[in-house]
Amino acid sequence: MTRVTPTDLTPDLSLADAVTLDDIRAAGARLAGVAHRTPAMTCRALDEALGVSVVLKCENLQRVGAFKFRGAYNAMSLLNEEARRAGVLVYSSGNHAQGIACAAAILGVPATIVMPTNAPSVKRQATEGYLARAPQGSRVVEYDPATQVREELGATIAQERGLTVIPPYDHPDVIAGQGTAALELHEQAADLDEIYVCCGGGGVLSGCAIATRGVRPGCRVIGVEPEAGDDATRSFQTGRLHEVRNPDTIADGARTPRLGRYTFPMVRTHVDEMLTVSDAELARWTLWCMERLRIVVEPTGVLGLAGLARRAG
């Protein structure tokens, strides 16, 4: 793990409004009948343990098992016909790859997925399974993260083949799609005082913050990331972009090195607070969800719950 000295880059606050509540509502209309309207779960034992009333938005029950499908499908559905025929390219180690591959199969768009050689095997297999139902030419391209930079490899392939690159979080249409999770949550659970949202590159946090500001302005939005990968927290606090390369954390979905061009100003503008939690806390709440709620959640998925537990404790 390497913590990088902050750059001189400060957020371009004009991009903080690149995604609006109307964009998120439009994304919700596109996703209607395609994405699952995931349940909002309550648990008396959890309320008693934390001393507050808790509602869990179960995006682990979304298609591909993550909110990433929302952003992937929304972005792909907005491509023009020429871009759809040519196909898309993404780089991801897991959930975004699956989201794009699933959307590609639904929309009939060829997809090239750039994945590291050390990607979790279950996520690699799932991605390949979705691509098997996508148009001819869809494929996984491996790269060695120790010697290759995925963005550079992806850019080269995309330019050679005329593909549209859809990044995993730093894209207005992806952010709008991911924000529909909060839009649904506020419909399912009125009068929430706070929402705790996981943070890697800041896509879902940005989208959920913008949705919340629009429909429930009195609700505080708190982003949560692993202690080892605290780049967003430090960027939020200082107003200068920090990086953490290859953080040593079990929250593999939050191992992104930095906030993006869009998500940096969105997080700075629309989020109220950032928290970090330890891997021990993530392991505890991952196990708690399995034992008490009987649901399978990956460690990244319990970042919000672990953040609430730290605050409540």
Side-chain angles (χ1 to χ4, degrees):
M1 177 179 70
T2 303
R3 277 187 167 81
V4 181
T5 301
T7 69
D8 290 331
L9 179 62
T10 56
D12 180 354
L13 296 181
S14 68
L15 296 178
D17 298 318
V19 174
T20 67
L21 178 61
D22 286 343
D23 294 326
I24 297 172
R25 284 178 166 153
R30 294 183 198 99
L31 288 163
V34 181
H36 299 320
R37 186 178 175 86
T38 55
M41 177 182 289
T42 60
C43 173
R44 183 180 300 173
L46 182 59
D47 292 352
E48 293 174 351
L50 299 184
V52 293
S53 297
V54 183
V55 180
L56 301 175
K57 182 62 170 164
C58 297
E59 283 296 288
N60 57 311
L61 301 180
Q62 185 54 262
R63 297 182 83 146
V64 313
F67 64 83
K68 291 287 189 177
F69 175 76
R70 295 176 182 268
Y73 183 89
N74 187 57
M76 289 183 67
S77 68
L78 288 168
L79 296 175
N80 61 37
E81 288 302 317
E82 182 180 356
R84 288 193 184 204
R85 286 194 299 271
V88 301
L89 179 140
V90 304
Y91 35 82
S92 168
S93 61
N95 290 337
H96 184 58
Q98 294 176 79
I100 288 289
C102 182
I106 295 169
L107 295 169
V109 178
T112 298
I113 315 292
V114 178
M115 298 188 78
T117 53
N118 61 355
S121 60
V122 65
K123 295 184 178 181
R124 168 70 182 263
Q125 292 167 9
T127 299
E128 292 175 334
Y130 292 123
L131 290 181
R133 302 197 297 273
Q136 186 175 4
S138 298
R139 59 175 179 156
V140 170
V141 175
E142 284 190 339
Y143 75 96
D144 181 357
T147 61
Q148 295 175 286
V149 178
R150 67 181 190 175
E151 289 84 357
E152 294 176 358
L153 175 61
T156 299
I157 297 172
Q159 184 173 17
E160 290 174 350
R161 300 180 59 191
L163 308 179
T164 298
V165 177
I166 301 179
Y169 58 88
D170 201 33
H171 187 295
D173 298 334
V174 171
I175 293 167
Q178 293 176 354
T180 61
L183 205 61
E184 287 182 8
L185 175 60
H186 289 294
E187 292 171 355
Q188 294 166 314
D191 300 328
L192 295 175
D193 296 315
E194 297 178 330
I195 63 168
Y196 291 75
V197 186
C198 60
C199 180
V204 68
L205 175 57
S206 296
C208 288
I210 293 165
T212 299
R213 287 284 170 269
V215 301
R216 176 67 176 164
C219 178
R220 299 184 74 247
V221 180
I222 300 157
V224 188
E225 63 182 346
E227 285 180 350
D230 64 344
D231 55 283
T233 299
R234 289 186 292 128
S235 298
F236 177 82
Q237 292 170 345
T238 66
R240 299 172 66 197
L241 188 64
H242 290 247
E243 295 183 4
V244 179
R245 298 173 185 166
N246 300 314
D248 184 13
T249 174
I250 60 174
D252 69 293
R255 297 185 76 245
T256 49
R258 71 191 73 82
L259 294 173
R261 176 171 177 258
Y262 290 98
T263 60
F264 186 14
M266 288 177 182
V267 168
R268 281 280 293 174
T269 301
H270 301 292
V271 173
D272 293 292
E273 186 179 354
M274 291 292 303
L275 297 176
T276 63
V277 293
S278 68
D279 273 15
E281 290 169 289
L282 293 177
R284 174 193 174 193
W285 287 106
T286 299
L287 182 61
W288 198 96
C289 287
M290 294 176 64
E291 292 181 339
R292 301 300 299 272
L293 300 179
R294 297 296 192 266
I295 58 175
V296 177
V297 187
E298 60 184 284
T300 307
V302 298
L303 276 165
L305 177 56
L308 169 60
R310 170 171 282 202
R311 172 61 54 76

